[in-house]
Amino acid sequence: MLPPIPFKYMLPLTGLAVSAFVFNTSEFMPIGLLTDISDSFGMTPAATGIMITVYAWVVGILSLPLMLATCRMELKRLLLLTLALFALGQAGSGLAVNFPMLMGARILVACAHSIFWSIAAPLATRLVTRTHQPFALSTIATGSSVAMIFGLPLGRVVGLALGWRMTFLVLAVISTLALLYLWRVFPSLTNNSTFSTRDLPALVRNPLVSGIFVLSVLFATAYFTTYSYIEPFLGTIAGFAPDAITWTLMVLGVCGFFGSVLFSRFYGRHRFPIFRAGLLGLLVALMCFLPSAAFMPSMIACCMLLGTISTLFNVTMQAELIRNCSLAAAPVAMSIFSGIFNVGIGGGTFIGGRLAAASLLPDIGFVGAAIAACAVLFGLLFYLPHARRQSKQEKVK
């Protein structure tokens, strides 16, 4: 039994979890409102979906440059400035009167996203001892999962009832409140980073670090090829009513919370089985996506597995990354991870959009599964052997 985390550190961890909630809600909310946004601008869902792709690719491009530019800034100040930029972008999205204005505001939010997900996990682990790091990471993952449980579906409900713009404005208010809360409770953390661009080659040459980067882009591409167009898939292929789609997305998010609990309980003692379960679970869920659509309970079960695996393996990759790099390199490594993961999100959304435009929406699961199969092969044949060798060396020492 681990000793409890001091209350003074649970307060900032809670603030980080709430921030993760609003960031994840913002990133994926357009998925649940894609049809509504498209109709307001007289566009097709496939054309509007480019907004998700551009957002992800901006994060992918800017994560490392922005992290290197700010890596010597005092960490609390950097966190608060990131939230302020995020709130401004949300307000701009809610007030957008045309699609280019919405795209510009979303790019502003993407800049904040680039920094936040570079520092969130390292900040959480710095607040606690090493034995509590899995719990700290699972706390951040819980914030992301709650976004899938309540954020995305409630954003859809608010958007359908009051218009999608109101959903963005509500997020602007919540993020402002989170900023004020963290200003009061988050401790000042000295930033002793000595990392520079000269250290990048050594970081990337680490086979476990570079292996996580490869896995992240494959995993994200596979998952978002399917997930980015789950709303039109459930509506047109599975025949779900609008309310049923909302509830299915909520159930998927609940299972994301379950995935974070599994990680917190078992990663420390069963690191490699958890890793394998995440990889293989994604492949199985995507392979079953279209066959499950013929029967509502099986479709919901498939979405439940997808939600569990997405959170479980995402936080597992972050834990592996932090485990295999130095304290000084962790924020930069996480920024590269976030950037590459979002390249995968953009790639998956792009592939899903092209499939939808070509009337191949039923096949998004199979295409995602083909990419997931590449991730499984890479993980089992390259990453795990290197990780086992390093684990044995650590035990010898």
Side-chain angles (χ1 to χ4, degrees), residues 12-29 55-56 58-60 62-68 70 75 78-83 85-86 90 106 108-125 136-148 171 175 182 212-213 216 224 260 310-311 314-319 321-322 325 329-343 345:
L13 276 177
T14 302
L16 286 175
V18 171
S19 300
F21 165 82
V22 293
F23 271 86
N24 255 29
T25 298
S26 170
E27 181 175 13
F28 302 128
M29 189 174 57
Y55 180 100
V58 167
V59 174
L62 294 182
S63 287
L64 182 58
L66 287 177
M67 192 63 245
L68 289 174
T70 60
L75 294 173
L78 178 59
L79 176 62
L80 297 181
L81 287 174
T82 300
L83 281 167
L85 182 65
F86 178 84
Q90 295 302 334
R106 293 293 291 170
L108 191 64
V109 174
C111 292
H113 179 118
S114 301
I115 301 173
F116 178 79
W117 287 112
S118 299
I119 62 176
L123 282 178
T125 55
L137 288 172
S138 71
T139 302
I140 305 300
T142 297
S144 298
S145 299
V146 171
M148 305 295 286
L171 278 181
S175 55
L182 285 168
I212 287 296
F213 294 159
S216 69
F224 284 96
S260 71
S310 66
T311 300
N314 193 335
V315 72
T316 297
M317 287 190 290
Q318 293 181 52
L321 190 60
I322 291 175
C325 62
V332 175
M334 283 300 302
S335 74
I336 299 174
F337 171 84
S338 176
I340 291 177
F341 195 88
N342 276 274
V343 168
I345 293 175

Side-chain angles (χ1 to χ4, degrees), residues 126-186:
R126 283 194 61 177
L127 290 170
V128 299
T129 63
R130 175 153 189 162
T131 56
H132 286 108
Q133 286 184 359
F135 175 82
L137 288 172
S138 71
T139 302
I140 305 300
T142 297
S144 298
S145 299
V146 171
M148 305 295 286
I149 300 168
F150 297 114
L152 193 155
L154 287 180
R156 175 178 164 81
V157 170
V158 173
L160 293 177
L162 302 176
W164 59 266
R165 290 179 177 82
M166 184 57 67
T167 309
F168 286 107
L169 293 175
V170 169
L171 278 181
V173 173
I174 295 174
S175 55
T176 300
L177 294 175
L179 186 157
L180 294 173
Y181 173 82
L182 285 168
W183 172 67
R184 291 290 298 170
V185 305
F186 203 89

